[in-house]
Amino acid sequence: MTAAAASLIACFLLLLLACVKPVGLYMANVFEGRPIWPLRAAAPLERWTYRLCGVDPTREMGWQPYAAGLLLFNALGALALYVLQRAQLWLPLNPQRFPALAPDSAFNTAVSFITNTNWQGYSGESAISYLTQMAGLAVQNFLSAASGMVVAIALVRGLARHGAHSIGNVWVDLTRATLYVLLPLSLVLAVVLVSQGVVQNFSRYRDVTTVEALTYQQPKTDAAGTALKDAAGNPVQETLTTRTQSLPMGPMASQESIKELGTNGGGFLNANSAHPYENPTALSNLLEMLAMLIIPAGLTYTFGRLVGDTRQGWAVLAAMGVLFIVLLQVTVSSEQQGNPRIAQLGVDQAAGPMQPGGNMEGKEARFGVAASALFATITTATSCGAVNGMHDSFTPLGGFVPLFQMQLGEVVFGGVGSGLYSMLIFAIVGVFIAGLMIGRTPEYLGKKIEAFEMKMSSIAILVMPFIVLTGTAVAVSTEAGRSAVANPGAHGFSEILYAFSSAGNNNGSAFSGISANTPFYNVALALVMWLGRFWPIVAVLAVAGSLAAKKRIPVSDGTMPTHGPTFVVLLIGTVLLVGALTFVPALALGPIVEHVMLWH
Amino acid sequence: MNSTRPPAALAALLRPALVLFLLLSVLTGLVYPLLVTALAQALFPRQAGGSLVLRDGHAVGSALIGQAFSDPGHFWSRPSATAPQPYNGTASSGSNLGPLNPALTDAVKARVAALRGADPGNSAPVPVDLVTASASGLDPHISVAAADYQAARVARVRGLGLARVRALIAAHTEGRLAGVLGEPRVNVLQLNLALDALK
């Protein structure tokens, strides 16, 4: 690792660590109904909301109505987003006159955004109107993040309460998460991003006259838009010259900020955070990376605070942090090493004061290798999926880390809320395994872990590998699945595995050479996203309800402490064991064999 | 919950779900972006409008969006994988070629040959960013090494002193923010505009 990379990473981790306590404490206060001063001004808005909804905010719910309400809320979101995409041509704020999206594409995108996946089957700047972006996609950026958060809070309440029959009021939790956490943070970040150059307007695309004329070729089409072929069946090329460059416009900054803060990741533009209009400077890049992590990392503190022992939260954060730092090291050094096949061609890949060097295919010059590798590790550690470099062009090991982090179940920080609840489920499984090893009744935070919790936890954990591997298997055995692949050999298999891992874990990043905007992938990935999101959520809320009803067992000599290094190691071991045992065979066929081929 | 039948319980959830969804949609989907737009236009109108670069009052590009250059008297930008033409502002994209893909090595080989063809005397190894496609296809920057590699060619074609061209590069070099953030880089469009303005 170069000194510049090391200082960037050290600087970033310190900043993040400094945010954990204030953000976590703030969120604990919000969910206990005590937002701090400037935001208390929104309290009347909160009260009117409950009145219009016909909700009594003091009345709490059991886990079943809580889950049913959340599913219903998300289903309505999917419906609205689908309609918006299909009707955008007849709605306002569509200066480029983009037509309606195809039904399969609109279905995929609707599911993708309500599940916090934000897989982009479409290309933003050439298909989506401003209204669909801001009133459809961005709304779900907020609401899916809020949905993840409230599930985590409900599970934490389950652990914190005893002898209780309720886990909170889902409408109150959703309102507070949006109003007091996501909106204010997004507003501040959006304005700062504009200062860096992120676009924010409602103008139509701006045509500029370039310095040089550009001559290029493109396939010739007839009046109906079909490609013309010559006598030999080759496409006919026409040569064109242009001095016009059309620059995309739109309300980008307002969407960019919540895209990172809500670990959503679906970009306004096709190139996502690699696009200079979404991520123009090194500072905007730093803020976007920080934004992806502050809520997932802060929630570990919220958890500790709400269960009355902040050490519990730090232990979970430590387990996440260790996994993150080890995997980050792999990505950065692998990308810095570059591509030996390119080095042979008289190309200088050595890092120095004048260039970042390394593997620069699919990376931006302002970020270089270090900030691109760091971004890639963060975006897949969290379930964000925004990208500032093209993962498809990463080195085999550099691409392995994003894939592997998703396959661990998005628990290395993970998504907003989903990271914490998934990690706590692993903690429950971990103490169960430890209990078996030492022959004691497993307990976590004074709650006895019994058959029901274990059944639900197993469901929450095992659904994902099942749907990811099944989806991959179906895709590689069908022509519809294989024909979408862009790269030959092992890398092509990785593209498919990555697509399903990303969908099943609600990440949304891609080895984006894959042409996934086809009916097969749109439907298959939508199903995987849906199941990967809501099946575990129901299981987690069931665990929350069951734990809340239990009595708390007092700490005794036989209690295994869950705040020390032993527990951190146990938790990491559980995550790795489950992740590794399930996915190593598939990974061996993809990035691992590719690495061996590249270097030998 | 247990006392009411499931359909009735679901119906009781419908009103809050629907009303809350509509209220939060208006707040996050209309009020919020309009508020950000108002603040952006008031505080940072140039950035909010796309950081356009003007020459003689006409927009010739954006400081943030790269352009294609092939004139040997200009500095060349990084290769762009956008279709159908490079630096297509409405179709940002990387190549997505994997590291083992023969198409990647073929493309790099052709780019190295083009650079060497335009500057036969230069046998130095080519900086990697100058022969690899960027992630967005719209990268406005090249590394300082990539600018330096082209300095002799530009100086020769324009009949300028090498020192003068190098000084121009130095004047357009952006360093690391606070010594830590970002990579040293040169904005190609702005460097070429400055070059064209030399008379």
Side-chain angles (χ1 to χ4, degrees):
Chain A
M1 197 182 291
T2 62
S7 48
L8 169 71
I9 290 167
C11 171
F12 176 78
L13 290 176
L14 285 174
L15 270 174
L16 175 66
L17 204 57
C19 291
V20 169
K21 188 176 168 182
V23 174
L25 188 59
Y26 174 66
M27 289 191 287
N29 284 329
V30 164
F31 287 106
E32 288 188 327
R34 299 190 306 265
I36 52 161
W37 168 71
L39 296 166
R40 217 172 292 148
L45 197 60
E46 192 190 341
R47 279 197 302 276
W48 296 332
T49 304
Y50 301 145
R51 202 168 305 158
L52 283 171
C53 292
V55 166
D56 174 1
T58 58
R59 239 182 94 180
E60 296 214 333
M61 303 159 125
W63 77 265
Q64 286 118 326
Y66 198 102
L70 190 64
L71 294 186
L72 191 60
F73 183 75
N74 279 290
L76 287 172
L79 192 66
L81 185 48
Y82 180 83
V83 171
L84 210 48
Q85 292 178 79
R86 299 283 293 147
Q88 66 176 9
L89 183 60
W90 303 288
L91 296 172
L93 291 176
N94 186 358
Q96 303 304 121
R97 311 295 304 146
F98 291 132
L101 283 105
D104 60 310
S105 168
F107 170 65
N108 179 283
T109 303
V111 173
S112 168
F113 275 71
I114 65 149
T115 54
N116 201 251
T117 312
N118 309 54
W119 171 268
Q120 281 177 271
Y122 57 88
S123 165
E125 64 265 51
S126 56
I128 312 271
S129 79
Y130 296 164
L131 187 76
T132 310
Q133 293 270 18
M134 70 181 211
L137 304 182
V139 165
Q140 286 307 323
N141 281 358
F142 280 98
L143 302 186
S144 66
S147 299
M149 234 192 250
V150 305
V151 175
I153 293 298
L155 178 60
V156 172
R157 287 196 189 115
L159 287 162
R161 292 174 177 183
H162 46 99
H165 296 289
S166 62
I167 54 170
N169 182 314
V170 68
W171 314 120
V172 172
D173 290 343
L174 284 169
T175 307
R176 287 183 178 158
T178 311
L179 212 54
Y180 298 124
V181 181
L182 297 171
L183 260 177
L185 283 173
S186 302
L187 182 63
V188 173
L189 181 61
V191 175
V192 178
L193 287 177
V194 175
S195 79
Q196 294 300 300
V198 181
V199 170
Q200 180 75 23
N201 60 41
F202 291 99
S203 321
R204 50 173 301 116
Y205 291 5
R206 182 75 193 250
D207 286 343
V208 295
T209 308
T210 54
V211 174
E212 280 187 18
L214 173 66
T215 303
Y216 64 99
Q217 290 197 316
Q218 70 174 20
K220 197 168 183 172
T221 54
D222 61 16
T226 39
L228 295 176
K229 301 226 164 121
D230 62 14
N234 297 316
V236 181
Q237 299 283 332
E238 58 180 343
T239 303
L240 301 170
T241 301
T242 180
R243 277 198 72 172
T244 303
Q245 189 182 40
S246 189
L247 302 174
M249 296 284 138
M252 295 181 201
S254 52
Q255 192 157 335
E256 187 69 21
S257 60
I258 183 61
K259 168 188 123 186
E260 316 293 356
L261 281 163
T263 61
N264 298 284
F268 197 96
L269 304 163
N270 189 48
N272 209 291
S273 288
H275 198 295
Y277 272 166
E278 284 200 25
N279 191 1
T281 65
L283 182 61
S284 68
N285 192 55
L286 178 84
L287 293 173
E288 290 182 15
M289 292 193 293
L290 211 51
M292 286 190 261
L293 276 171
I294 53 170
I295 296 181
L299 275 172
T300 61
Y301 189 87
T302 311
F303 155 66
R305 180 86 184 175
L306 292 180
V307 298
D309 180 2
T310 48
R311 294 174 306 173
Q312 303 289 344
W314 290 117
V316 171
L317 185 69
M320 294 171 165
V322 169
L323 283 167
F324 178 76
I325 289 170
V326 171
L327 291 167
L328 173 63
Q329 158 70 26
V330 176
T331 328
V332 174
S333 49
S334 179
E335 290 309 300
Q336 193 66 68
Q337 212 167 7
N339 183 338
R341 305 227 167 165
I342 287 183
Q344 290 165 0
L345 304 173
V347 174
D348 180 11
Q349 296 188 103
M354 283 166 72
Q355 69 159 5
N359 174 25
M360 283 299 287
E361 179 71 25
K363 292 190 181 62
E364 298 281 296
R366 63 194 176 284
F367 307 137
V369 161
S372 302
L374 178 58
F375 198 108
T377 312
I378 293 169
T379 199
T380 49
T382 68
S383 76
C384 185
V387 294
N388 80 347
M390 293 302 141
H391 294 185
D392 215 350
S393 298
F394 271 36
T395 58
L397 289 187
F400 160 84
V401 169
L403 191 50
F404 186 61
Q405 288 198 119
M406 294 190 294
Q407 291 170 345
L408 290 180
E410 292 294 14
V411 292
V412 186
F413 298 109
V416 164
S418 60
L420 180 65
Y421 68 67
S422 305
M423 195 56 149
L424 291 179
I425 293 294
F426 271 109
I428 288 172
V429 173
V431 295
F432 178 76
I433 293 170
L436 288 183
M437 288 194 291
I438 56 172
R440 284 186 185 279
T441 316
E443 52 185 83
Y444 186 49
L445 301 171
K447 292 298 175 71
K448 212 183 269 184
I449 305 301
E450 293 169 299
F452 182 76
E453 288 78 41
M454 282 315 298
K455 272 185 214 159
M456 289 299 140
S457 298
S458 308
I459 288 175
I461 289 177
L462 294 178
V463 157
M464 182 277 287
F466 176 70
I467 54 179
V468 168
L469 291 173
T470 308
T472 307
V474 170
V476 295
S477 0
T478 53
E479 188 50 35
R482 287 192 304 266
S483 61
V485 155
N487 282 283
H491 199 83
F493 172 73
S494 298
E495 285 181 344
I496 295 177
L497 181 64
Y498 198 107
F500 282 95
S501 301
S502 176
N505 290 287
N506 302 134
N507 181 281
S509 67
F511 272 8
S512 43
I514 193 166
S515 310
N517 196 1
T518 63
F520 171 79
Y521 276 102
N522 277 332
V523 174
L525 293 174
L527 290 176
V528 170
M529 289 188 275
W530 184 280
L531 294 173
R533 174 76 167 177
F534 293 110
W535 201 333
I537 278 186
V538 173
V540 168
L541 288 173
V543 172
S546 163
L547 289 176
K550 292 186 188 228
K551 290 197 174 34
R552 185 175 292 140
I553 311 164
V555 176
S556 71
D557 288 347
T559 308
M560 190 186 76
T562 51
H563 56 257
T566 316
F567 176 73
V568 172
V569 172
L570 175 72
L571 186 53
I572 293 173
T574 311
V575 168
L576 285 180
L577 208 64
V578 174
L581 286 183
T582 336
F583 285 105
V584 160
L587 289 167
L589 296 174
I592 294 171
V593 77
E594 196 188 6
H595 176 76
V596 174
M597 286 170 72
L598 185 62
W599 289 96
H600 296 281
Chain B
M1 177 79 197
N2 296 334
S3 55
T4 42
R5 288 185 304 120
L10 209 60
L13 293 171
L14 194 58
R15 174 177 167 199
L18 192 62
V19 176
L20 187 62
F21 173 68
L22 291 175
L23 284 177
L24 292 182
S25 292
V26 169
L27 192 62
T28 61
L30 296 174
V31 177
Y32 159 74
L34 290 175
L35 183 61
V36 173
T37 310
L39 289 169
Q41 296 294 340
L43 297 170
F44 309 107
R46 187 178 56 82
Q47 290 94 323
S51 307
L52 299 181
V53 175
L54 303 179
R55 186 167 64 177
D56 311 326
H58 298 286
V60 290
S62 162
L64 298 177
I65 305 289
Q67 292 183 10
F69 293 97
S70 54
D71 179 345
H74 276 139
F75 285 88
W76 296 357
S77 302
R78 296 188 60 194
S80 159
T82 63
Q85 79 271 31
Y87 288 91
N88 179 355
T90 56
S92 60
S93 168
S95 73
N96 287 309
L97 296 176
L100 272 171
N101 196 328
L104 175 65
T105 26
D106 289 348
V108 172
K109 220 179 279 176
R111 291 163 188 158
V112 171
L115 283 161
R116 294 222 197 282
D119 191 13
N122 190 347
S123 60
V126 184
V128 61
D129 62 302
L130 202 52
V131 288
T132 47
S134 63
S136 63
L138 300 170
D139 197 339
H141 298 110
I142 53 177
S143 67
V144 183
D148 194 61
Y149 177 86
Q150 303 183 67
R153 182 195 77 216
V154 171
R156 179 170 45 78
V157 173
R158 293 202 165 234
L160 292 167
L162 184 58
R164 196 159 178 211
V165 174
R166 286 212 161 123
L168 205 60
I169 294 174
H172 283 83
T173 298
E174 301 164 54
R176 291 198 166 97
L177 185 65
V180 179
L181 296 179
E183 298 291 343
R185 59 204 177 275
V186 180
N187 186 304
V188 183
L189 173 63
Q190 290 181 328
L191 178 61
N192 282 332
L193 287 174
L195 206 54
D196 287 347
L198 291 179
K199 281 295 172 244

